[in-house]
Amino acid sequence: MTSLPSGRRAARGPLSAAASRRVERPAPLRQAVYDALLELIVNRTLAPGQHLVEAELAEYLGVSRQPVREALQRLQTDGWVDLRPAQGAFVHTPTEEEADQLLAVRSVLETYSAKLAAEHATSVDIKQLQKLQKAGLAALAASDVDRLVEANADLHAAIASMGRNKVLAEMIGLVDRRVRWYYTPIARPRSRDSWNEHAELIAAIADRDAERAGEVMHRHAEQTRQTYHDRKTEVSTQSD
């Protein structure tokens, strides 16, 4: 296993033994390599704009270059990687328009999801949300960004499943990875407000108040959207 050259390292650091996700052989190799690379992109171990070298990725994952090449081509088709002639593969850098469109769709889907959750959640469901809330607060207290992102995703997924609408849950699942991709860099600045909003949301669901749950979720999603744009503006200003 090797680390990427220092000049290409992401802000999170190089591919290290601690971060390693070597491919498990029982799974279809092409899919396993695709999933491994996608997760490294989503959690920003491989940062937006980072050069992706087939040989280095293959050695890191413990596979040959062929499945890596195939995975990169598929990742380009799915919008995660840019293949540039005579330059190679690079992690896609999302535009403001892309992020805004995705986060806007997420806001609509999850607002409806929260309303359905309030209508259908059982006492067991409420206890599960409260358990997930505690996990998020523990991650917040530990200033653990990875756990914050995971806890946030888990709580939102739980709310989606409680609505008893499989189509809606599947649609939310389709955008989940990109939401996590956008959320990671703002997890820390959003953390305290975000988990306070989660508490308010859980209370509305527990009260079976669908309208209030929808309003809280809409405000929550829109605040995340605004924080993402504010951060992008701040980073752009600092780099000028």
Side-chain angles (χ1 to χ4, degrees):
M1 187 190 313
T2 59
S3 297
L4 295 184
S6 58
R8 302 183 183 121
R9 290 176 181 169
R12 288 169 53 87
L15 297 174
S16 64
S20 176
R21 288 181 173 81
R22 293 182 73 82
V23 169
E24 297 292 334
R25 289 288 176 176
L29 186 58
R30 292 180 181 179
Q31 184 63 43
V33 171
Y34 174 89
D35 288 341
L37 291 178
L38 179 53
E39 184 59 28
L40 290 170
I41 292 172
V42 170
N43 67 28
R44 295 189 176 238
T45 299
L46 297 173
Q50 186 169 349
H51 188 204
L52 303 173
V53 181
E54 286 181 11
E56 293 172 350
L57 294 173
E59 185 174 356
Y60 171 70
L61 295 174
V63 299
S64 68
R65 293 176 63 174
Q66 182 60 30
V68 171
R69 183 177 303 116
E70 293 173 353
L72 291 177
Q73 291 171 346
R74 183 178 165 192
L75 287 165
Q76 179 197 35
T77 300
D78 293 345
W80 295 98
V81 165
D82 298 326
L83 297 180
R84 304 173 188 170
Q87 295 183 51
F90 297 81
V91 178
H92 178 66
T93 300
T95 66
E96 281 289 292
E97 183 179 10
E98 289 171 356
D100 190 69
Q101 289 178 358
L102 183 105
L103 294 174
V105 168
R106 181 231 187 182
S107 177
V108 173
L109 293 176
E110 295 208 332
T111 296
Y112 183 41
S113 173
K115 290 181 178 180
L116 292 181
E119 293 173 358
H120 297 285
T122 65
S123 58
V124 174
D125 291 332
I126 302 302
K127 289 180 180 179
Q128 175 64 11
L129 289 180
Q130 292 169 341
K131 180 180 178 180
L132 293 171
Q133 175 76 357
K134 288 181 179 178
L137 292 175
L140 176 61
S143 297
D144 188 326
V145 172
D146 289 340
R147 284 171 56 199
L148 275 170
V149 173
E150 181 179 2
N152 182 75
D154 288 346
L155 189 143
H156 281 264
I159 291 173
S161 69
M162 289 172 195
R164 310 295 191 265
N165 185 318
K166 292 183 178 180
V167 174
L168 178 61
E170 288 174 0
M171 294 179 69
I172 291 174
L174 288 175
V175 302
D176 174 66
R177 274 177 163 166
R178 290 192 186 274
V179 169
R180 284 199 291 133
W181 191 35
Y182 297 142
Y183 186 73
T184 296
I186 65 171
R188 196 182 299 277
R190 265 290 280 153
S191 56
R192 177 60 64 183
D193 288 342
S194 182
W195 288 95
N196 286 339
E197 291 157 14
H198 285 161
E200 187 179 354
L201 177 58
I202 293 170
I205 294 174
D207 289 341
R208 309 300 194 269
D209 189 333
E211 287 305 311
R212 181 157 61 93
E215 291 171 1
V216 173
M217 179 65 92
H218 177 74
R219 176 163 36 88
H220 173 68
E222 287 300 310
Q223 187 58 51
T224 296
R225 182 180 174 192
Q226 186 60 51
T227 301
Y228 179 85
H229 289 307
D230 289 346
R231 180 187 177 279
K232 291 287 288 186
T233 300
E234 179 182 346
V235 171
S236 176
T237 301
Q238 291 175 349
S239 62
D240 289 344

